[in-house]
Amino acid sequence: MDEKQFTPVNTYEYQALAKSKLPKMIYDYYASGADDQYTLEDNMAGFRRIRLRPRVLVDISVQDISTTLLGISSSFPLIIAPAAMQKMAHPQGEIAVARSAAKNKVIMTLSSLSTYSLEEVAESSPTGPKWFQLYIYKDRLVTRKLVERAEKAGYKALVLTVDAQRLGRREADIHNKFTLPQHLTFGNFKNWTASDDKIRTKKSQGSGIESYFATLMDPSVTWKDIAWLKTITKLPIILKGITTAEDAAKAVESGVAAIIVSNHGARQLDGMLATIDCVEEVVGAVRSLIPVFMDSGVRRGTDIIKALALGAQAVCVGRPILWGLAVSGEDGVDDVINLLRNEFHLGMGLVGCRSVNEIHRRMVKRQNDSCLGVSRSPKYDERLSQPIARL
Ligand SMILES: Cc1cc2nc3c(=O)[nH]c(=O)nc-3n(C[C@H](O)[C@H](O)[C@H](O)COP(=O)(O)O)c2cc1C
């Protein structure tokens, strides 16, 4: 089949198409998880272990799938997760994603390691609500400047990533000697050449992003730094990367505005639980004091229903957005968001919910892997090769 005639109808097919378009080094950087990638597969398998319990004979002729997230209205409970270096997928990179997010009325989270600057992204889509993702650098001044700039540019919250004090070992990046292509730069650090230099490794070295983190990010960050961050910003702080009740309780105590249950798309600690398996524990510890969001492995509208049934207020999506961007820029991102929105809308109707508030715990039931037997979905890699074979 001619590639032009192939229209992806789900996020897996978008991934397959993106894989056929992107250079190997870039596709591998986007797609990979850490080490053996057990958690990468499990993030998606975790959703398959949870099954839906629909209610029938509910009048679903009028449905409202919108919601409000930290005071921001959203067309459905989806947030775009921060993902670094998006110009590698498409020349419009983060700007295409921000424009699509604004058009589709969802929140976009911009990575600190974006290839457009945070100001360029803010100006490109002034009406779209945006959050800014933050890492804490050894040089606190670098972090402080980013915070000030994000605040000035109108970002509505800071998303502090707390699961990446050291970078996970992504073996494909080591083999590929991953680096930021020469024609691109980190948009937020245009006058700080040390930033770009650290990712451009010599041919003999391994992953450039690993050496970037090892040299510049601060591995000594603790809860005290949350208190420090609060002194330098008025923006709400969201902690991204909490997966246990113990840390969730500390997060609430530290006075942050929300939590994102995340394992960084399985790119950090391989062998961790799938994040969907951490949601209930975190929600329980938070006791409704602050909102809980989740990410990692969301690929279907029904995954969003499952996350909400377990107590999350919304999900964030990472890779599916990058696949849409790689396939056809802003249009591709629009299409991925629409596919997920339509699947969520349909799924909500089929489980008998007229509004997001009606999704509740009794709508899901956990199944053991052993119960799933042969009916389990095809393995992830097989799913990816199917549409490619059809091209
Ligand atoms: C290519 C790529 C780059 C990422 N860059 C960042 C980043 O700069 N900061 C961050 O906090 N998380 C980053 N993440 C993690 C995402 O924010 C998110 O947690 C993850 O992608 C969710 O899993 P999913 O891809 O299965 O949806 C990145 C993920 C990917 C795939």
Side-chain angles (χ1 to χ4, degrees):
M1 192 189 282
D2 179 358
E3 186 179 320
K4 285 202 186 80
Q5 290 173 330
F6 180 76
T7 308
V9 296
N10 60 50
T11 62
Y12 292 102
E13 293 183 354
Y14 259 103
Q15 176 164 1
L17 207 50
K19 185 176 185 182
S20 72
K21 282 175 174 268
L22 289 171
K24 181 174 163 31
M25 178 189 82
I26 292 167
Y27 174 80
D28 284 353
Y29 169 70
Y30 286 159
S32 294
D35 298 359
D36 294 309
Q37 309 190 98
Y38 288 132
T39 301
L40 183 67
E41 166 65 22
D42 206 40
N43 275 340
M44 286 163 283
F47 283 104
R48 297 197 289 269
R49 289 191 290 269
I50 293 164
R51 297 298 168 102
L52 294 160
R53 293 182 71 248
R55 299 300 307 272
V56 297
L57 293 176
V58 178
D59 177 358
I60 51 158
S61 54
V62 181
Q63 276 180 270
D64 177 7
I65 62 167
S66 67
T67 189
T68 302
L69 307 169
L70 286 183
I72 297 170
S73 59
S74 178
S75 63
F76 73 122
L78 179 134
I79 298 161
I80 297 181
M85 299 178 260
Q86 297 183 3
K87 272 196 207 172
M88 295 193 308
H90 188 275
Q92 287 293 302
E94 294 85 2
I95 285 186
V97 175
R99 287 191 173 136
S100 175
K103 203 186 316 164
N104 288 291
K105 297 196 170 46
V106 295
I107 298 165
M108 178 209 185
T109 316
L110 183 73
S111 166
S112 279
L113 299 177
S114 53
T115 35
Y116 278 105
S117 72
L118 65 91
E119 289 86 0
E120 286 168 321
V121 175
E123 281 159 24
S124 73
S125 52
T127 59
K130 281 176 270 303
W131 295 344
F132 184 72
Q133 178 269 330
L134 202 63
Y135 289 116
I136 298 192
Y137 284 77
K138 282 180 188 159
D139 182 348
R140 289 291 192 281
L141 197 58
V142 174
T143 303
R144 181 191 278 268
K145 286 249 160 68
L146 282 175
V147 169
E148 287 167 2
R149 286 168 58 192
E151 213 164 303
K152 191 163 166 227
Y155 288 76
K156 303 280 183 240
L158 296 174
V159 175
L160 179 68
T161 302
V162 292
D163 60 7
Q165 275 168 241
R166 293 190 59 190
L167 201 77
R169 198 161 182 278
R170 305 160 195 170
E171 295 178 355
D173 292 350
I174 300 171
H175 281 305
N176 296 334
K177 303 189 188 341
F178 172 78
T179 186
L180 185 62
Q182 206 60 42
H183 66 289
L184 300 178
T185 53
F186 286 125
N188 292 325
F189 306 108
K190 281 181 185 145
N191 300 320
W192 188 34
T193 47
S195 164
D196 282 12
D197 289 351
K198 293 299 174 225
I199 196 168
R200 296 197 209 283
T201 51
K202 295 197 189 79
K203 276 266 178 290
S204 59
Q205 292 170 323
S207 160
I209 189 71
E210 213 170 292
S211 82
Y212 184 96
F213 269 68
T215 344
L216 300 176
M217 301 305 184
D218 190 349
S220 76
V221 171
T222 67
W223 293 97
K224 280 199 221 101
D225 296 280
I226 314 286
W228 167 74
L229 195 55
K230 283 171 69 186
T231 67
I232 65 162
T233 185
K234 291 190 203 66
L235 292 177
I237 297 167
I238 303 168
L239 293 189
K240 173 174 181 282
I242 300 285
T243 55
T244 62
E246 296 89 320
D247 283 340
K250 281 191 155 229
V252 172
E253 225 171 87
S254 74
V256 297
I259 284 174
I260 304 176
V261 180
S262 170
N263 59 29
H264 214 110
R267 294 161 75 77
Q268 287 296 103
L269 179 63
D270 194 31
M272 282 183 70
L273 288 171
T275 41
I276 191 63
D277 291 335
C278 305
V279 169
E280 258 194 314
E281 174 177 327
V282 170
V283 167
V286 163
R287 294 174 290 120
S288 304
L289 293 169
I290 54 174
V292 174
F293 312 123
M294 70 83 60
D295 76 22
S296 302
V298 174
R299 298 293 179 268
R300 286 283 186 189
T302 44
D303 294 343
I304 308 176
I305 298 175
K306 292 171 184 178
L308 265 59
L310 293 170
Q313 283 200 7
V315 302
C316 315
V317 281
R319 294 182 184 87
I321 299 295
L322 297 173
W323 309 142
L325 182 65
V327 168
S328 49
E330 188 177 330
D331 289 347
V333 179
D334 283 348
D335 201 31
V336 165
I337 295 173
N338 276 315
L339 284 172
L340 289 169
R341 185 197 282 117
N342 291 338
E343 286 178 3
F344 178 66
H345 195 170
L346 173 64
M348 254 185 57
L350 292 175
V351 293
C353 286
R354 288 156 300 196
S355 74
V356 166
N357 295 340
E358 288 184 355
I359 300 175
H360 60 80
R361 181 63 182 83
R362 284 186 58 75
M363 284 183 162
V364 288
K365 190 166 179 177
R366 226 170 257 283
Q367 286 203 281
N368 296 329
D369 264 344
S370 56
C371 301
L372 299 176
V374 288
S375 69
R376 210 173 150 176
S377 318
K379 292 289 279 186
Y380 182 53
D381 285 349
E382 289 163 27
R383 298 200 62 129
L384 292 187
S385 60
Q386 284 164 8
I388 286 293
R390 276 192 265 144
L391 290 179

